[in-house]
Amino acid sequence: MTVDLSVLIPAHNEVGYIEPCLEALLSSEDTGAAVEVIVMANGCTDATAEIARGYAGRAETRGWALRVIDLPEGGKIGALNAGDTAATYGAKAFIDADVVVSPPLLAQLAQVLDSDAPRYASGIPNVTVSDGGFSAVYTRFWVGIPFLTHGVPGFGVFAVNAAGRQRWGAFPDIISDDTFVRLQFRPGERHSVPARYDWPMIEGFGPLVRVRRRQDIGVAEVKALFPALWANHDAPAPDQVPLWRRALRDPLGFAAFAVVALAVRLPRPGEERWARGR
């Protein structure tokens, strides 16, 4: 069985990224039910909206609908709320515009979401790096943190069924929307499917520090504003590899990870709340 699915893609100045995102999405395996794609172009000063509209014909040939909501104001939360309101179906997949899904991912998500019980689902992230510099060394160690190796992290791609979406109203004005949604569900309600998706790591030391700082602030914000949700945080896994052992296996990767972690804690007054890595 499977469910009708609305795929929501917030996009801000994503030329060069929205094309492979939509190409991969429209090359997905058949879900066995209806699919609509909504691109929420927000505050774009480039051709993101126009390019996305150009894929409507391809979507139609496979029986899907593709719409673009062109919002004058930038901001991911506003885009999420606009797309969520416009969506036709109760089950929803939220996909970042720089993510490239593998062909089976959408169908596997739709299948898992076919339940009357609240469910959250995501695939397996394949963290990509475009060069072999500092970000590659950092990423080599970062992909081994418990958040990625245990549970269902859901960054870049997460999906909920209709019963799950009823757990909150409009998206609040917070940084970490993915953390907010994930913690609406108990660990047993979060499901990982085997299909993968490509998620690009931030490139360069400075951008990496800025975005990691923003992510830490976002998680702390959710914890402070919605303390009841923190009960759904994943407990440490009994087979979790200790940090010191991982550091011994990859001292260079650990050094890069530690340097970023220390730099993130340095105060940066006036830094942009919505810092991006590109």
Side-chain angles (χ1 to χ4, degrees), residues 40-44 69-75 78-80 82-83:
M40 299 88 74
N42 59 98
C44 294
I69 301 175
D70 202 346
L71 303 167
E73 296 294 328
L80 289 173

Side-chain angles (χ1 to χ4, degrees), residues 7-10 14 16-26 76 94-102 105 109 122-128 154-158 196-201 278:
V7 180
L8 308 180
I9 307 174
E14 299 290 353
Y17 294 91
I18 194 65
E19 298 94 328
C21 176
L22 291 176
E23 289 281 350
L25 194 62
L26 292 173
K76 187 177 182 182
F94 300 86
I95 299 179
D96 286 353
D98 56 1
V99 160
V100 175
V101 302
S102 63
L105 180 61
L109 292 176
S122 184
I124 307 299
N126 175 45
V127 183
T128 64
F155 56 85
V157 174
F158 60 85
R196 305 181 72 86
Y197 61 93
D198 290 345
W199 181 88
M201 175 55 76
R278 51 177 174 77

